[in-house]
Amino acid sequence: MNVADQHDRIRVQGARVNNLKDVSVDIPKRRLTVFTGVSGSGKSSLVFGTIAAESQRMINETYSAFLQGFMPSLARPEVDVLEGLTTAIIVDQERMGANSRSTVGTATDVNAMLRIVFSRLGNPQIGSPQAFAFNVPSISGAGAVTLEKGGRTVKERRSFTVTGGMCPRCEGMGRVNDIDLAQLFDDSKSLNDGALTIPGYTPDGWGVRIFTGSGFLDADKPIRDYTKRERDDFLYKEPVKVKVGDINMTYEGLVPKVQKAFLSKDREAMQPHIRAFVDRAVTFTTCPDCDGTRLNAAARSSRVGGISIAEACALQISDLAEWVRGLSEPSVAPLLAALSETLDSFVEIGLGYLSLDRPAGTLSGGESQRTKMIRHLGSSLTDVTYVFDEPTIGLHPHDIQRMNGLLLRLRDKGNTVLVVEHKPEAIAIADHVVDIGPGAGTAGGTICFEGTVEGLRGSGTLTGRHLDDRARVKSTVRERTGVLKVRGASRHNLREVDVDIPLGVLVVVTGVAGSGKSSLVHGSLGAAGGAEVRGADAGGGIVSIDQGAIKGSRRSNPATYTGLLDPIRTAFAKANGVKPALFSANSEGACPNCNGAGVIYTDLGMMAGVSTVCEVCEGKRFEASVLDYTLGGRDISEVLSMSIAEAEAFFGEGEARIPAAHGILKRLVDVGLGYVSVGQPLTTLSGGERQRLKLATHMGEKGDIYVLDEPTAGLHLADVENLLGLLDRLVDAGKSVIVVEHHQAVMAHADWIIDLGPGAGHDGGRVVFEGTPAALIAARSTLTGEHLAEYVGR
């Protein structure tokens, strides 16, 4: 045997990233290894934080120091030995960039290829590929330039033109907006009286002080009494430099200021209160000049094979692939072949129902992940480590079979495939399983089992015990208390759908990926989908919880995200007779040495930065004097280091009793986050934990109808049972719960199922079944019915 053949394993020894407790594991190469365990047990810390991170860091180190300066610098993971690594390609669940200029076409380079096709073959010919790009404006200019030539200074006249494809009216956004001024300010008040009603614009904040101190406006005069000149300066003035006090600042009118601050960002990526403000203040309409295509008239006029680039991007990808196959032009044959291959990959991976003009920010986590996979499907690289983070998220059982086929194909080409996964159907195809646990957070971080799937079944670990769990169909279902009538829903691919959604029960909306579930639920119930919604409180009191990622920095934690910190700070302040700002590590109470971060971060250029625990506050984040104030015998840093379950008991009774805080903590315990500490940075929470944190936050909102989008995402089999209990408690408390879901346990547990299909894209968009789960299984008339019947063992 050759010495080189001994390296058939990835060896990890002594891994201590996040909550891992000196983990050692051997992972076979050129096999499919699945990592299982409850949410927060340390799967991602091992796979992404240790193995993939070190592989990427080693590859980065092969580049010159000059190039490394431009790359993200990665710290070496805390691990004693890592051997046998190969190049890692990470396909994670991070949503595609929520930039409103990004579409499926631009994010996957398909648009770049299409633009070349149109610039070469288009009739009439209008210019280079840039002329078909909606992110490139047409500009021209002329003027004198000064050059140094042969020791003399020479002036020459130069002119230039750039022909772009951007629609000038909407600037390539496809939508134009009108701002409702009444939502920006109350014109009966003056600026000093708090006339501005924009989030974050407080009378003593810089947003307002620049207006009051600019010298252009009278800060004590009601806005309705402004002269024409003052009103124009207030709303529309071009940017000018002004001095406010001793500080040089740029003053500009309120409308352009709001446009830059709020409208250039993607709506989906905004915090809920800012999104609510934008929805009130701004009306978006399709651009009348380009009809939403983002392209100018010249780009839309050039045609290939009878269609323009705008029409090509609007086609469903499976249809576009057919159209590309029909183009036979030897001069661009290699390009057409590459384009065809990429489009076929979309279809093969089950995304043929998308169109290239779909904004990237509207893709679900599962769709984003599969879009990223497309680059790797046709790759002829072998001996690569592919790392997947729950590739089955957002997939119907029918689609999971296809995903399993793709993972096995990548393995069969001679690659190592590492998958973090909870679904039993995906665990079943593993060559090797690593189960991490036994619990989550500090109760996890150890290897509970390594071996085959059969071995896992008999291992007695939490995953092993629940692997063959099958939720039973309920013998009796709840009676509806009313009905929401949706009529003529036509958003995206919906075909004038009429459906009655029962109230007072647990309703599951299901169907293959791309069948129109989210369009029906989020589009119609938000009454934005061109549908008419009638019935109990139509559109009112609806709490909608989507899959959008939680935004948060190292300074955010469950206490700041849920609003839990406010009542706690107030109670501390009241008990000690000081002001609440002292009990915030992001405000007055912060340790002056580390500014409340708890660590000192040193940037070392192209080397990985170093963070060391602050020696003044010892990582507690607060100034020493603040820690002298206590509530119920605990200081604020001790409260932040409590687990949520501990804090719930602490604030529930005795002198530390705070009903407002206790209510929030109880909801966090209800969704199964009792083990997370109150002050744990959001950046260290797993995907499933963040999803449940969001669920707990929204459960406090006043509403009679809860709409949840795949609440089982990132949940271990054992946690799904708790989630079903939580949904039951919501319904028993008189709420109506509507869940968009693929997980068969949730379908079996439903009182009523609405199944959309039969396929995806233009093959879907119709209601193919409505009734009880038992009736769906008995009929077996749809793909969902087939899989659900198989699941419950009928």
Side-chain angles (χ1 to χ4, degrees):
M1 175 174 160
N2 191 311
V3 178
D5 296 334
Q6 294 169 8
H7 302 285
D8 57 350
R9 301 195 154 257
I10 296 174
R11 282 185 60 225
V12 182
Q13 277 187 349
R16 295 177 298 281
V17 173
N18 294 335
N19 66 337
L20 295 179
K21 298 173 182 163
D22 258 334
V23 164
S24 297
V25 63
D26 280 7
I27 299 160
K29 285 190 187 173
R30 300 178 201 84
R31 297 289 181 273
L32 194 153
T33 302
V34 173
F35 294 79
T36 62
V38 295
S39 175
S41 60
K43 304 181 297 297
S44 297
S45 300
L46 177 61
V47 180
F48 291 91
T50 308
I51 299 170
E54 180 63 354
S55 169
Q56 285 208 308
R57 191 184 72 86
M58 305 286 279
I59 287 167
N60 285 5
E61 285 193 354
T62 62
Y63 299 112
S64 67
F66 172 73
L67 280 178
Q68 285 182 54
F70 295 99
M71 301 165 102
S73 48
L74 304 164
R76 185 177 189 280
E78 267 196 83
V79 58
D80 297 334
V81 179
L82 258 181
E83 289 178 350
L85 291 179
T86 68
T87 307
I89 291 175
I90 298 174
V91 188
D92 60 16
Q93 280 176 37
E94 284 299 313
R95 302 290 277 266
M96 310 271 289
N99 179 337
S100 42
R101 293 192 172 280
S102 179
T103 63
V104 170
T106 59
T108 54
D109 300 339
V110 177
N111 262 30
M113 293 192 261
L114 260 187
R115 291 199 293 265
I116 301 171
V117 170
F118 274 85
S119 74
R120 297 286 182 275
L121 307 180
N123 186 13
Q125 280 259 307
I126 62 163
S128 73
Q130 285 194 127
F132 295 93
F134 55 74
N135 287 332
V136 180
S138 295
I139 46 177
S140 59
V145 291
T146 308
L147 312 168
E148 292 285 336
K149 271 190 179 176
R152 288 178 32 244
T153 304
V154 189
K155 284 199 169 183
E156 291 183 6
R157 187 170 170 74
R158 297 272 174 92
S159 62
F160 72 95
T161 57
V162 174
T163 307
M166 179 187 283
C167 166
R169 170 84 182 265
C170 64
E171 297 184 5
M173 295 297 223
R175 300 179 305 170
V176 285
N177 55 60
D178 287 321
I179 294 181
D180 178 0
L181 298 179
Q183 297 293 345
L184 304 188
F185 54 82
D186 176 351
D187 68 358
S188 65
K189 292 181 178 173
S190 69
L191 288 170
N192 281 342
D193 291 339
L196 296 184
T197 54
I198 302 165
Y201 280 64
T202 51
D204 54 347
W206 278 110
V208 176
R209 274 169 69 186
I210 190 164
F211 285 101
T212 54
S214 65
F216 298 123
L217 310 166
D218 180 346
D220 294 314
K221 185 177 179 181
I223 293 174
R224 63 159 69 122
D225 298 338
Y226 280 1
T227 61
K228 189 163 185 269
R229 171 74 183 274
E230 282 177 319
R231 193 175 172 87
D232 203 66
D233 282 350
F234 173 54
L235 292 177
Y236 303 109
K237 194 170 182 72
E238 293 289 314
V240 288
K241 289 270 185 277
V242 294
K243 207 165 185 137
V244 179
D246 297 330
I247 300 171
N248 291 323
M249 299 186 78
T250 303
Y251 174 94
E252 71 178 322
L254 188 66
V255 170
K257 210 179 173 85
V258 167
Q259 280 175 320
K260 280 180 193 158
F262 298 110
L263 305 190
S264 58
K265 296 186 176 68
D266 186 76
R267 182 184 170 282
E268 304 303 318
M270 293 172 181
Q271 290 173 295
H273 70 288
I274 294 186
R275 190 186 306 176
F277 161 72
V278 170
D279 289 346
R280 282 197 314 273
V282 187
T283 52
F284 290 102
T285 48
T286 302
C287 172
D289 287 12
C290 67
D291 206 17
T293 62
R294 305 168 178 241
L295 292 157
N296 60 25
R300 299 196 309 273
S301 68
S302 183
R303 301 177 104 68
V304 174
I307 66 171
S308 70
I309 191 165
E311 290 161 345
C313 290
L315 284 176
Q316 190 166 307
I317 288 176
S318 52
D319 297 341
L320 182 64
E322 285 299 316
W323 174 79
V324 171
R325 268 194 285 281
L327 300 176
S328 57
E329 188 60 52
S331 62
V332 289
L335 182 65
L336 291 175
L339 181 57
S340 224
E341 196 177 311
T342 308
L343 295 172
D344 288 343
S345 298
F346 267 104
V347 177
E348 188 181 347
I349 208 163
L351 292 177
Y353 59 87
L354 295 177
S355 59
L356 296 181
D357 59 6
R358 168 97 174 253
T362 64
L363 296 183
S364 69
E367 286 170 336
S368 302
Q369 190 169 22
R370 284 178 290 153
T371 303
K372 291 177 199 166
M373 274 180 80
I374 284 165
R375 290 172 184 266
H376 311 302
L377 286 183
S379 165
S380 46
L381 288 172
T382 63
D383 261 333
V384 170
T385 302
Y386 284 97
V387 189
F388 290 97
D389 188 5
E390 288 190 60
T392 61
I393 273 197
L395 290 187
H396 187 270
H398 169 71
D399 299 313
I400 290 178
Q401 293 176 336
R402 287 163 80 167
M403 176 59 80
N404 282 350
L406 291 168
L407 294 174
L408 292 170
R409 251 180 50 200
L410 284 173
R411 176 202 68 185
D412 293 346
K413 282 200 318 198
N415 298 305
T416 307
V417 182
L418 308 181
V419 183
V420 171
E421 193 47 90
H422 291 292
K423 295 261 173 77
E425 304 97 311
I427 296 171
I429 62 163
D431 300 312
H432 188 74
V433 179
V434 178
D435 189 25
I436 301 177
T442 49
T446 58
I447 302 281
C448 299
F449 171 81
E450 280 185 80
T452 62
V453 179
E454 274 315 304
L456 176 68
R457 275 202 171 88
S459 67
T461 66
L462 193 62
T463 309
R465 290 202 306 274
H466 287 277
L467 196 58
D468 293 319
D469 275 6
R470 293 292 180 264
R472 287 194 297 280
V473 176
K474 291 192 290 199
S475 49
T476 58
V477 293
R478 300 180 184 92
E479 287 296 316
R480 61 181 68 183
T481 57
V483 73
L484 260 189
K485 294 178 186 291
V486 176
R487 296 291 176 264
S490 55
R491 189 179 190 184
H492 296 322
N493 64 334
L494 294 177
R495 310 264 180 106
E496 294 295 327
V497 167
D498 295 344
V499 66
D500 292 349
I501 301 176
L503 295 175
V505 296
L506 175 59
V507 178
V508 169
V509 179
T510 185
V512 295
S515 58
K517 304 178 297 298
S518 298
S519 304
L520 176 69
V521 174
H522 294 303
S524 305
L525 294 187
E532 185 191 344
V533 181
R534 296 196 296 268
D537 219 15
I542 293 178
V543 177
S544 180
I545 306 167
D546 62 10
Q547 274 197 332
I550 282 181
K551 296 281 182 292
S553 67
R554 286 187 306 204
R555 287 179 176 274
S556 321
N557 52 47
T560 57
Y561 182 80
T562 57
L564 167 66
L565 207 50
D566 296 335
I568 292 177
R569 281 198 300 239
T570 309
F572 261 96
K574 204 168 166 188
N576 294 286
V578 290
K579 52 184 182 178
L582 280 177
F583 302 99
S584 165
N586 297 331
S587 184
E588 286 184 34
C591 160
N593 190 44
C594 62
N595 292 328
V599 291
I600 304 284
Y601 186 76
T602 317
D603 185 9
L604 298 176
M606 87 254 182
M607 301 295 286
V610 177
S611 56
T612 48
V613 175
C614 168
E615 53 211 31
V616 176
C617 67
E618 296 172 344
K620 289 182 177 173
R621 303 175 59 196
F622 290 91
E623 204 180 337
S625 61
V626 175
L627 302 180
D628 295 340
Y629 301 119
T630 59
L631 176 71
R634 302 285 186 101
D635 67 42
I636 186 74
S637 75
E638 288 171 328
V639 166
L640 289 175
S641 59
M642 284 179 182
S643 74
I644 283 168
E646 216 181 312
E648 189 217 1
F650 178 71
F651 290 114
E653 56 197 22
E655 60 171 305
R657 185 169 172 272
I658 310 174
H662 184 253
I664 295 173
L665 288 160
K666 187 167 182 341
R667 289 198 292 275
L668 288 166
V669 171
D670 277 351
V671 296
L673 289 177
Y675 61 89
V676 173
S677 73
V678 175
Q680 187 174 331
L682 286 191
T683 47
T684 63
L685 295 184
S686 70
E689 288 167 336
R690 292 183 191 199
Q691 174 92 350
R692 284 180 287 162
L693 180 60
K694 195 171 179 179
L695 178 61
T697 310
H698 285 292
M699 273 169 55
E701 292 177 17
K702 294 279 177 281
D704 303 318
I705 301 172
Y706 281 79
V707 178
L708 294 97
D709 194 353
E710 290 189 53
T712 60
L715 281 195
H716 185 265
L717 298 159
D719 294 327
V720 172
E721 221 168 289
N722 301 338
L723 177 80
L724 294 176
L726 175 67
L727 297 179
D728 279 343
R729 286 201 296 281
L730 279 173
V731 177
D732 295 340
K735 310 287 187 194
S736 303
V737 181
I738 301 165
V739 186
V740 175
E741 190 52 88
H742 295 291
H743 202 296
Q744 287 120 313
V746 183
M747 290 183 209
H749 198 73
D751 298 308
W752 192 258
I753 285 188
I754 296 170
D755 191 14
L756 292 175
H762 56 45
D763 301 326
R766 288 190 286 268
V767 175
V768 289
F769 175 86
E770 28 183 340
T772 61
L776 176 65
I777 290 167
R780 282 197 175 208
S781 57
T782 68
L783 279 169
T784 309
E786 288 284 339
H787 284 279
L788 190 57
E790 204 176 303
Y791 171 83
V792 297
R794 288 291 167 88

